[in-house]
Amino acid sequence: MKWENLGQRDHEMRTHVRDIPDEELVCRCKNITAGMIRNSILDGASTLEQLENRTGAGTGCTLCVRTLQRFLEYSQLREPGPGDIEFIEKRPHILDEDRTVDEKCAELPILETQKTDWIELRSIMKKTVTRGFPDYSQEVNEWIKLFLRWDLGDPEYTVHYEAIRDRETATLSRDEILTILTWYIKEERKRAGLIAQALEDGTLHALTQRLHDITI
């Protein structure tokens, strides 16, 4: 199955991480497979930070972070049984299971307007250099990770986004802002630099500020 379908299969269709084949790509940015993730966990990686440091997975676009977290959570279940699929799905981040959506939104960092550098891709054979993909700051990468770990995404964002894409930020509700933020994060897998543009023109600052203001 192609990487583009992994997120849908793993998250939306609720496929258990134990059923992802070893050869399946989990992190496309770093070409890290499910087997490599499992081996790293067997070798002692017990936290997301350790897993990222040892394999490089989750340090690019960060779209695989939730899946990495689920690999870790499954590995820490002592006696996995018929109910462990529901158990894992209900706690994408065990420390936040009792917090409301408003509480999470109020603590989601406000992103300041900023310029994003781009990583160049060099082709030795063709002797060309092209602008490859955005190199987001640690602040932005951490913001994306929190958004995904706290399960704030709108699973129906592709449907909901079209109806609100031209609305003024000041008129958007909490859920509508989460829809737009989900669109930016999920569509970033295409490497179009949508988040970079939204950071530079102040869109993400306005959205995250509005989200904070209406949920505190």
Side-chain angles (χ1 to χ4, degrees), residues 23-213:
E23 65 274 12
E24 186 95 77
L25 276 179
V26 171
C27 177
R28 187 185 185 215
C29 298
K30 305 294 183 179
N31 290 320
I32 306 300
T33 65
M36 296 166 69
I37 296 298
R38 291 186 177 104
N39 288 336
S40 182
I41 292 174
L42 288 174
D43 288 339
S46 59
T47 67
L48 183 61
E49 182 178 4
Q50 290 175 349
L51 198 57
E52 290 174 338
N53 290 338
R54 295 187 184 192
T55 66
T59 60
C61 70
T62 74
L63 290 175
C64 62
V65 166
R66 174 165 178 154
T67 304
L68 298 178
Q69 187 69 38
R70 293 179 64 213
F71 269 106
L72 287 166
E73 288 174 341
Y74 178 56
S75 72
Q76 293 162 6
L77 292 175
R78 295 184 178 180
E79 297 180 358
D84 55 6
I85 294 179
E86 291 75 18
F87 177 62
I88 291 175
E89 288 295 341
K90 289 180 180 178
R91 57 161 206 169
H93 195 309
I94 190 169
L95 297 179
D96 301 303
E97 60 183 2
D98 295 327
R99 300 171 66 208
T100 66
V101 174
D102 276 348
E103 289 173 332
K104 294 176 184 178
C105 289
E107 292 188 25
L108 195 67
I110 298 170
L111 290 175
E112 298 299 330
T113 300
Q114 58 189 273
K115 183 174 177 57
T116 301
D117 294 327
W118 285 68
I119 294 177
E120 294 181 340
L121 293 180
R122 298 176 179 270
S123 173
I124 298 177
M125 296 295 293
K126 296 181 179 181
K127 297 181 179 180
T128 59
V129 178
T130 59
R131 189 174 76 160
F133 52 88
D135 184 20
Y136 293 117
S137 66
Q138 181 177 354
E139 173 197 10
V140 175
N141 283 326
E142 287 300 320
W143 176 82
I144 295 172
K145 289 178 183 179
L146 283 178
F147 189 91
L148 296 173
R149 287 182 196 172
W150 289 350
D151 200 24
L152 293 174
D154 174 9
E156 300 295 330
Y157 76 96
T158 54
V159 176
H160 299 154
Y161 177 73
E162 289 301 320
I164 60 175
R165 61 183 303 173
D166 297 323
R167 292 258 306 277
E168 293 291 332
T169 300
T171 68
L172 296 171
S173 67
R174 181 201 71 187
D175 290 344
E176 289 170 336
I177 293 174
L178 293 179
T179 293
I180 295 176
L181 295 179
T182 304
W183 183 81
Y184 277 116
I185 292 173
K186 294 294 186 179
E187 292 298 302
E188 186 65 16
R189 74 181 66 191
K190 299 176 183 177
R191 295 297 192 185
L194 294 174
I195 292 179
Q197 180 180 345
L199 282 168
E200 190 165 345
D201 65 19
T203 299
L204 279 181
H205 171 72
L207 289 170
T208 52
Q209 180 68 64
R210 166 73 175 166
L211 186 63
H212 181 268
D213 290 344

